[in-house]
Amino acid sequence: MHCGPPDMVCETKIVAADDHEALPGAKKDTLLAAAGAMWPPLPAAPGPAAAPPPAPGPQPHGGTGGAGPPEGRGVCIREFRAAEQEAARRIFYDGILERIPNTAFRGLRQHPRTQLLYALLAALCFAVTRSLLLTCLVPAGLLALRYYYSRKVILAYLECALHTDMADIEQYYMKPPGSCFWVAVLDGNVVGIVAARAHEEDNTVELLRMSVDSRFRGKGIAKALGRRVLEFAMLHNYSAVVLGTTAVKVAAHKLYESLGFRHMGANDHYVLPGMTLSLAERLFFQVRYHRYRLQLREE
């Protein structure tokens, strides 16, 4: 079974201080100006009254590039540290678990053929039994089976992910060239994650593993994480950023569009890592895989 980084979450490098110093002045200014033009600034994070401007001198990690105020006064987006492995895994795990009811129930609206099949099964039950009670129980039974198989497949997917790239984030994302992993930190706690992985064959970067702790959503954290990946791609001269997602919530798709991604199509026959493709699974578990692309420059 293929257990590479699955595209479930699937939710720009705001250039860190040390990256800035490595760039020639003209190139640095051009990149930051381009990024500012593409993505208007986020609203300030809620918190105490604004502090006075910092005195001239060295900036904290990520300060110059818009990574956010210091910890305790707002959200700071920075590169992953090995000590944050378990916190990052927890946010990923909790985010994927939310997909179980969404896929089982809300996701059914995306599959009209499955809805028709379930309606025919209910009609067949009535034709055979002539019992309204039994016929009314059919939809409940079908939804229960959808929940069971959604849970079964998504837990298998999680098991796969937690034993591949999410088992050792530093080894998988921080060491290979063209890859990186970032965390959003608020008051010293990791509240969001995102990863990037380069595909040298077509000079693109894939956005992966975006997830925000449910207690901290609605504060612009996901958008800031997305910008990290986009700016990372610009900084390293990749031609485009791509992502794939099986997200059901409309808010997730609006987030990608707000970052400038273009919807490239959807696939109803996507095989999620962890699927066995049994007949029962085909009847009671379906996902729609969406592809997005943001073209940064022409090749």
Side-chain angles (χ1 to χ4, degrees):
M1 179 176 64
H2 171 67
C3 287
D7 302 297
M8 196 80 173
V9 180
C10 253
E11 311 204 344
T12 98
K13 187 169 183 186
I14 299 174
V15 184
D18 50 355
D19 291 328
H20 284 181
E21 298 307 319
L23 290 171
K27 182 177 180 181
K28 173 176 71 175
D29 293 342
T30 301
L31 284 169
L32 294 178
M38 288 178 68
W39 310 296
L42 292 170
Q59 296 292 319
H61 179 77
T64 305
E71 293 178 8
R73 286 187 288 174
V75 177
C76 171
I77 310 290
R78 58 165 172 75
E79 291 186 0
F80 167 84
R81 299 170 184 170
E84 295 160 342
Q85 172 80 22
E86 289 309 312
R89 282 164 56 95
R90 175 189 59 79
I91 290 173
F92 170 72
Y93 185 88
D94 291 347
I96 295 299
L97 280 186
E98 293 177 15
R99 298 291 179 89
I100 295 174
N102 286 335
T103 303
F105 307 133
R106 189 179 298 184
L108 182 58
R109 294 182 297 183
Q110 298 179 344
H111 302 280
R113 290 184 180 179
T114 303
Q115 294 177 43
L116 178 61
L117 174 62
Y118 292 175
L120 289 175
L121 288 174
L124 179 62
C125 176
F126 180 75
V128 171
T129 65
R130 297 294 175 181
S131 168
L132 284 175
L133 176 62
L134 288 177
T135 302
C136 290
L137 289 176
V138 168
L142 293 172
L143 290 177
L145 285 168
R146 284 187 65 83
Y147 184 87
Y148 171 81
Y149 279 99
S150 294
R151 186 175 186 276
K152 176 176 178 289
V153 173
I154 289 173
L155 288 178
Y157 163 86
L158 270 171
E159 184 72 11
C160 184
L162 292 173
H163 285 85
T164 51
D165 63 308
M166 295 301 290
D168 190 344
I169 294 170
E170 180 150 0
Q171 181 67 33
Y172 200 95
Y173 289 108
M174 303 306 294
K175 293 185 177 180
S179 297
C180 198
F181 197 100
W182 297 271
V183 294
V185 179
L186 179 64
D187 295 330
N189 298 311
V190 175
V191 298
I193 59 173
V194 73
R197 184 182 60 182
H199 297 284
E200 300 297 341
E201 63 275 11
D202 58 359
N203 196 37
T204 63
V205 166
E206 184 177 7
L207 185 154
L208 297 159
R209 303 308 192 207
M210 182 188 286
S211 188
V212 174
D213 189 313
S214 60
R215 298 169 295 176
F216 300 96
R217 292 176 189 165
K219 301 180 183 295
I221 296 174
K223 183 172 283 190
L225 288 165
R227 287 179 177 176
R228 278 278 175 142
V229 178
L230 303 185
E231 291 180 13
F232 173 84
M234 290 179 65
L235 182 68
H236 293 86
N237 295 316
Y238 289 101
S239 61
V241 181
V242 298
L243 68 87
T245 181
T246 57
V248 174
K249 289 184 176 180
V250 174
H253 298 275
K254 288 186 174 179
L255 169 65
Y256 306 139
E257 291 168 0
S258 74
L259 286 167
F261 283 91
R262 180 183 175 188
H263 189 252
M264 304 301 292
N267 178 9
D268 286 336
H269 304 289
Y270 178 70
V271 179
L272 192 71
M275 292 180 68
T276 63
L277 300 179
S278 66
L279 178 60
E281 202 172 82
R282 290 174 182 270
L283 282 173
F284 301 112
F285 179 82
Q286 301 90 24
V287 290
R288 176 169 291 176
Y289 180 71
H290 298 266
R291 293 178 293 107
Y292 284 88
R293 183 182 183 95
L294 194 161
Q295 194 71 32
L296 298 175
R297 60 184 177 85
E298 296 299 327
E299 285 294 303

